Amino acid sequence: MAFKEMMDYMQNEMKFPIRDKYDLPTSDKTFEGGAHYRMEITGIESANNFANLVKEIDKQKAVVHRVIGLVGGSALIDKAELKEYAQISADAKIEALVNPMASRAWDGGSQYKTPEGYVSGMRLRGQDNMRLWLKEFDRCLNAGIRGFLITDESVLYTVVKMRAAGLIPAETKFKVSVFAGHGNAVAGKMLEDMGADSFNPLADLTLPMFSAIRSATTIPMDVYMSLVDSMGNIQRHVDSDEIARICAPVYFKFEPGKNEMDIYNAWHDDEPLDRLIPVKVRMAKIAKEWCDESEHELVFNDYKEDLSIPRP
């Protein structure tokens, strides 16, 4: 098949852009409730850490819609704390998406820890680990959690099928993590078709790349505005209004820090995590200031009716 025919098929039949969109068109999509962008804080790894975040949000008079937490694995906290975590989220009306089981280098394998093994991502190894993931997933559901971080398309395929079959609550939502490694429009559409409710593209994409993804998808994107030093120390606050304009609906995501190992290791204490909380909330306020002062008419609100708030 000629290259031109491939490109024509991709563009006209599959409805995908064949180039990144350098014209940066304004997205015509929004969240339910009309907002172009929302705020997401990540790395909330304990109930105490969550409680301190809620206090800081009140102190700085900020609005946070979603928390990505227990990324090191919810299996690392006991049932009582898991229920407390869900209750804090429910009381604060903040969506909480958790990672049921640590994978990568912590499941008994070692490939991911090698200098080149990182390219293998966070996929589950073997059906035993799939079974264990689902077992912890069930524990989270019983604690009231209704939002989950997905790092493996095989898991997404499985839980979306279970949701459709009525085996899990219909309001349960699934966000595909940056650790799945997706970064183009076809990948975004694939995840949407598989049933993902939102997805986190690679952090270092350009605005035309983000724009191409939005042209092919409708689910929210989660875009890093701040990223840990070890993964590039990306800081995109000055692009806040452009990201909101071209990517809407989009979650602004904040994850400052030294490295993810420090944040998510099982033996950490809350002190370094708590120290980052004011920084994360302040970053969210700064990003909103950029949007407030933009020439674009960008909507931000505290509408939360469509969030997967825990039901403890």
Side-chain angles (χ1 to χ4, degrees):
M1 180 178 287
F3 177 69
K4 183 181 182 305
E5 291 174 322
M6 293 180 189
M7 294 299 95
D8 287 345
Y9 183 81
M10 188 171 185
Q11 186 171 39
N12 299 324
E13 300 299 325
M14 300 180 74
K15 307 301 182 184
F16 289 120
I18 57 175
R19 296 287 305 274
D20 296 325
K21 299 187 76 66
Y22 294 92
D23 56 336
L24 301 178
T26 297
S27 171
D28 60 359
K29 306 173 183 72
T30 64
F31 286 102
E32 182 179 319
H36 293 93
Y37 68 103
R38 289 175 173 174
M39 299 300 180
E40 171 182 302
I41 301 293
T42 193
I44 305 303
E45 295 298 291
S46 70
N48 183 67
N49 196 215
F50 204 158
N52 286 331
L53 172 64
V54 172
K55 292 176 185 176
E56 189 65 30
I57 290 169
D58 291 341
K59 179 181 176 181
Q60 296 198 36
K61 295 180 172 56
V63 175
V64 172
H65 300 83
R66 184 159 79 171
V67 157
I68 308 301
L70 306 180
V71 182
S74 61
L76 300 176
I77 65 175
D78 62 33
K79 187 181 295 184
E81 184 175 2
L82 186 58
K83 288 184 176 180
E84 183 183 0
Y85 193 100
Q87 190 64 59
I88 292 168
S89 180
D91 292 344
K93 293 182 170 57
I94 294 175
E95 182 175 83
L97 281 75
V98 309
N99 183 29
M101 191 181 80
S103 56
R104 299 197 287 181
W106 298 302
D107 71 349
S110 61
Q111 178 177 329
Y112 190 86
K113 292 187 291 187
T114 64
E116 296 185 10
Y118 71 92
V119 296
S120 59
M122 289 185 73
R123 306 305 195 275
L124 293 181
R125 298 164 59 253
Q127 286 304 105
D128 284 351
N129 278 321
M130 177 70 78
R131 176 180 174 276
L132 291 172
W133 193 99
L134 291 170
K135 186 176 183 180
E136 178 59 23
F137 173 58
D138 182 60
R139 191 175 78 118
C140 290
L141 288 172
N142 289 333
I145 299 294
R146 292 295 182 267
F148 295 89
L149 186 65
I150 305 295
T151 62
D152 186 325
E153 298 87 349
S154 68
V155 175
L156 178 65
Y157 177 86
T158 301
V159 293
V160 167
K161 288 279 190 183
M162 290 179 174
R163 182 172 62 184
L167 297 177
I168 61 177
E171 69 272 12
T172 307
K173 288 187 178 180
F174 305 111
K175 161 191 162 135
V176 177
S177 169
V178 68
F179 289 119
H182 295 292
N184 61 58
V186 178
K189 179 60 174 171
M190 176 190 73
L191 296 172
E192 181 174 326
D193 287 351
M194 289 179 68
D197 298 291
S198 66
F199 91 106
N200 193 157
L202 294 170
D204 61 350
L205 301 187
T206 64
L207 296 184
M209 291 174 181
F210 283 136
S211 184
I213 292 172
R214 176 45 71 219
S215 73
T217 60
T218 62
I219 58 175
M221 280 192 282
D222 317 317
V223 174
Y224 275 105
M225 308 305 288
S226 176
L227 185 60
V228 292
D229 297 353
S230 63
M231 291 181 69
N233 190 26
I234 293 169
Q235 309 296 327
R236 308 187 80 146
H237 295 78
V238 295
D239 275 335
S240 297
D241 63 329
E242 281 293 272
I243 290 172
R245 180 181 70 84
I246 68 176
C247 295
V250 59
Y251 283 98
F252 289 173
K253 181 182 178 73
F254 304 92
E255 191 174 34
K258 181 180 178 182
N259 58 60
E260 301 221 334
M261 190 66 74
D262 282 358
I263 295 173
Y264 300 132
N265 264 341
W267 53 85
H268 68 68
D269 58 36
D270 283 343
E271 192 276 329
L273 297 175
D274 288 341
R275 192 174 353 110
L276 287 170
I277 282 176
V279 178
K280 294 174 182 178
V281 178
R282 185 174 72 248
M283 285 181 167
K285 291 187 68 177
I286 292 170
K288 185 177 183 300
E289 287 176 356
W290 278 96
C291 291
D292 288 344
E293 296 170 7
S294 172
E295 62 187 29
H296 310 302
E297 295 182 0
L298 301 171
V299 177
F300 178 84
N301 57 39
D302 60 355
Y303 183 90
K304 296 183 176 182
E305 296 303 314
D306 58 328
L307 300 179
S308 52
I309 306 294
R311 300 190 179 187

